Amino acid sequence: MVKRNWFVFMLVILCGLSWYKVVHDYKTGLDVYSKNMRAAETSFSKKMYDVAEKQYKAALDINPNSEKAQLGLAKTYSAEENYRAAIPLYKNLLQVSTNKEEIALLLANSLLSGGQYRETIDILSKVEQSEQIKNKILEVKSRYSLKYIGITTPKSWQVVTPLDLESCTVVENEGFTTYSSLGKRMIHGKLSFVGPISEDKILYPAVEDGEWCYVNDKGNRQIVFDKKYTYLGPFYDGFAVASRDNLFGYIDKDGNEYLFSCSNAYNFQDGVAAIKQDGVIKYINKSFEVIKATDYDGIVADEYGFTTHADRQVLVKHGKYYFCDKNCGLVGNKCYEYITLPRASGEHVAYKEGGKYGFLNYDTGIPVITPQYDDARSFSNGLSPVKVEGKWGYIDANNNKVVDNTLKYATEISKEGTAFVQNEAGYALISFNYLQDKAKGG
């Protein structure tokens, strides 16, 4: 009996010692964890990031699930600009932390360091939309990478183009050239003017040494006519607009002239061209027969001589502008001070009323954004450049600001998601990365 009691007594002692060790080790571990955390926070505050990194890691060795230690280590990585190491920690914390707004904003900044715009927007969109989160999304959407080019006065993107990429005529080194929407210089040579490429993808109308001619992408002359013209357009449907002696007409590549009795003429599109003759707008076919006469006295053309964009035209009568389809049928029942040509089917169209610009619905011609801007261009790729108090920015189709009005100049967005802008540093081709990612299904 004594032996049994002694055995029970020793068992109790051993159990007590074991529990004491467990509690002691746990308490010691907590003390060491707390000590490492305090040391890490002190090191971080002193910007001793390499030391803080080791101390946070030591704390995590003791308590791997510590959100506080994980966050501290992630912030340390960010301070060291080691974003690749910080991002997985932030992503893990975003799943478990209750403070999702702070974590999402920290993760956003790390992702932005690598230009991951689309992923940043996706992550921010999944957390509660506080004012700070909304502002961050707006900021991210306005970010772009700048490629500065020594150019000035870029024109609009060439909408009717046989190229896979849109192109834009610009001034460079006191001469004209053309850039693609991805920033590639498409034509070389010293030209005092260059127009849009022709349908054959070879000939550019150009002015060299004061003489109108056609050149290739090397800037070498391909066609020079004996007659002296004061304007030449691109060849479409086999003909190009030409001007001499204050009259407009058409020429073919052999120099034969047609219908030189117009006060203005425009490029052929799908076998039809608009002309102004006898004070009104008429339409001709490739046999130069009038197939439709109107009572309009003007028509809006883009900077390259095309009058139809996305099956829409803008016709003019007595100084008032009418939004029409390609057959001259009215789209909407109102006229305005001015209407720009649309950039793409289904996208809002800029119009002017009361000295300010707003936007019309492409399908109905009904105003969808009331006039409020000093200047504007029609929407393309879901965005429009708008001018406020002398500065340009970009809005989306819901009239939300996407890029602040800080630019001196801004063109429409190309199909590739690029645009030419001017800021204090000069002209640049900008790329809306998040838009490109979205177009690719990102």
Side-chain angles (χ1 to χ4, degrees), residues 221-296:
R221 295 189 183 199
Q222 302 295 294
I223 300 177
V224 180
F225 298 112
D226 292 333
K227 291 180 180 178
K228 302 301 179 184
Y229 292 102
T230 56
Y231 174 79
L232 293 175
F235 281 99
Y236 273 80
D237 289 327
F239 302 100
V241 176
S243 177
R244 61 171 175 78
D245 303 325
N246 296 318
L247 290 173
F248 284 83
Y250 295 87
I251 56 171
D252 60 25
K253 292 179 182 178
D254 294 322
N256 298 311
E257 295 185 342
Y258 306 88
L259 202 65
F260 263 80
S261 59
C262 306
S263 55
N264 215 332
Y266 304 93
N267 299 333
F268 273 94
Q269 295 177 252
D270 298 324
V272 177
I275 62 171
K276 186 171 183 179
Q277 189 181 58
D278 303 323
V280 296
I281 297 299
K282 302 176 183 179
Y283 295 86
I284 58 172
N285 59 22
K286 290 197 293 182
S287 297
F288 300 97
E289 301 166 332
V290 175
I291 57 175
K292 186 181 185 67
T294 74
D295 58 354
Y296 292 101

Side-chain angles (χ1 to χ4, degrees), residues 122-139:
D122 288 342
I123 285 171
L124 292 173
S125 299
K126 292 175 182 176
V127 300
E128 186 177 345
Q129 296 298 292
S130 67
E131 198 64 32
Q132 193 172 5
I133 292 291
K134 289 179 180 178
N135 289 336
K136 189 65 177 181
I137 291 174
L138 187 61
E139 175 198 331

Side-chain angles (χ1 to χ4, degrees), residues 37-252:
M37 286 297 295
R38 288 194 298 270
E41 289 165 357
T42 299
S43 298
F44 186 91
S45 68
K46 293 180 178 180
K47 298 184 179 180
M48 299 167 61
Y49 301 125
D50 55 338
V51 177
E53 180 184 332
K54 294 176 182 178
Q55 291 164 335
Y56 279 124
K57 286 180 176 178
L60 284 168
D61 285 341
I62 298 169
N63 186 0
N65 296 320
S66 170
E67 292 181 24
K68 187 175 182 181
Q70 288 182 49
L71 181 57
L73 181 59
K75 287 182 176 180
T76 302
Y77 282 141
S78 295
E80 294 174 310
E81 298 185 0
N82 185 2
Y83 300 110
R84 183 173 293 182
I87 287 170
L89 287 169
Y90 287 135
K91 285 185 175 180
N92 179 64
L93 286 166
L94 194 60
Q95 300 300 316
V96 299
S97 176
T98 56
N99 190 5
K100 294 190 183 298
E101 180 177 328
E102 179 191 8
I103 304 301
L105 291 169
L106 290 168
L107 174 56
N109 289 330
S110 294
L111 289 169
L112 288 173
S113 68
Q116 295 165 268
Y117 297 95
R118 189 67 214 167
E119 185 177 359
T120 302
I121 293 171
D122 288 342
I123 285 171
L124 292 173
S125 299
K126 292 175 182 176
V127 300
E128 186 177 345
Q129 296 298 292
S130 67
E131 198 64 32
Q132 193 172 5
I133 292 291
K134 289 179 180 178
N135 289 336
K136 189 65 177 181
I137 291 174
L138 187 61
E139 175 198 331
V140 175
K141 285 186 175 181
S142 71
R143 290 198 179 192
Y144 41 73
S145 57
L146 291 178
K147 177 180 179 180
Y148 285 97
I149 302 175
I151 61 131
T152 60
T153 57
K155 293 187 177 183
S156 298
W157 297 109
Q158 185 181 348
V159 175
V160 183
T161 172
L163 300 177
D164 295 331
L165 300 176
E166 291 178 294
S167 59
C168 173
T169 298
V170 302
V171 176
E172 182 179 54
N173 298 325
E174 300 182 359
F176 281 75
T177 188
T178 299
Y179 273 86
S180 78
S181 51
L182 295 183
K184 181 181 178 181
R185 196 172 193 263
M186 298 175 63
I187 185 169
H188 300 271
K190 298 193 76 172
L191 304 168
S192 51
F193 176 82
V194 63
I197 194 169
S198 297
E199 193 172 24
D200 59 10
K201 303 184 182 181
I202 297 173
L203 298 175
Y204 293 84
V207 178
E208 185 179 38
D209 298 327
E211 185 176 37
W212 280 89
C213 58
Y214 287 91
V215 301
N216 61 14
D217 60 358
K218 305 296 184 186
N220 298 324
R221 295 189 183 199
Q222 302 295 294
I223 300 177
V224 180
F225 298 112
D226 292 333
K227 291 180 180 178
K228 302 301 179 184
Y229 292 102
T230 56
Y231 174 79
L232 293 175
F235 281 99
Y236 273 80
D237 289 327
F239 302 100
V241 176
S243 177
R244 61 171 175 78
D245 303 325
N246 296 318
L247 290 173
F248 284 83
Y250 295 87
I251 56 171
D252 60 25

Side-chain angles (χ1 to χ4, degrees), residues 203-401:
L203 298 175
Y204 293 84
V207 178
E208 185 179 38
D209 298 327
E211 185 176 37
W212 280 89
C213 58
Y214 287 91
V215 301
N216 61 14
D217 60 358
K218 305 296 184 186
N220 298 324
R221 295 189 183 199
Q222 302 295 294
I223 300 177
V224 180
F225 298 112
D226 292 333
K227 291 180 180 178
K228 302 301 179 184
Y229 292 102
T230 56
Y231 174 79
L232 293 175
F235 281 99
Y236 273 80
D237 289 327
F239 302 100
V241 176
S243 177
R244 61 171 175 78
D245 303 325
N246 296 318
L247 290 173
F248 284 83
Y250 295 87
I251 56 171
D252 60 25
K253 292 179 182 178
D254 294 322
N256 298 311
E257 295 185 342
Y258 306 88
L259 202 65
F260 263 80
S261 59
C262 306
S263 55
N264 215 332
Y266 304 93
N267 299 333
F268 273 94
Q269 295 177 252
D270 298 324
V272 177
I275 62 171
K276 186 171 183 179
Q277 189 181 58
D278 303 323
V280 296
I281 297 299
K282 302 176 183 179
Y283 295 86
I284 58 172
N285 59 22
K286 290 197 293 182
S287 297
F288 300 97
E289 301 166 332
V290 175
I291 57 175
K292 186 181 185 67
T294 74
D295 58 354
Y296 292 101
D297 53 40
I299 190 169
V300 173
D302 66 16
E303 294 162 301
Y304 305 114
F306 296 100
T307 57
T308 301
H309 285 193
D311 293 332
R312 293 287 188 267
Q313 301 180 94
V314 177
L315 290 158
V316 188
K317 185 190 296 184
H318 307 312
K320 295 294 184 181
Y321 290 74
Y322 297 81
F323 192 43
C324 302
D325 62 27
K326 64 180 181 180
N327 297 316
C328 302
L330 285 176
V331 180
N333 57 4
K334 287 191 66 177
C335 57
Y336 300 98
E337 293 174 23
Y338 186 72
I339 305 173
T340 67
L341 285 168
R343 291 286 304 169
S345 178
E347 302 237 36
H348 297 338
V349 180
Y351 78 104
K352 186 179 183 182
E353 186 174 43
K356 295 288 186 179
Y357 281 82
F359 295 90
L360 304 173
N361 179 280
Y362 167 89
D363 295 305
T364 65
I366 296 172
V368 288
I369 298 177
T370 58
Q372 57 196 271
Y373 297 106
D374 299 332
D375 201 351
R377 313 189 200 286
S378 290
F379 273 81
S380 57
N381 243 329
L383 301 174
S384 168
V386 294
K387 190 177 185 181
V388 177
E389 296 180 355
K391 296 290 185 179
W392 288 88
Y394 288 86
I395 60 170
D396 65 20
N398 294 317
N399 203 27
N400 297 315
K401 188 182 295 183

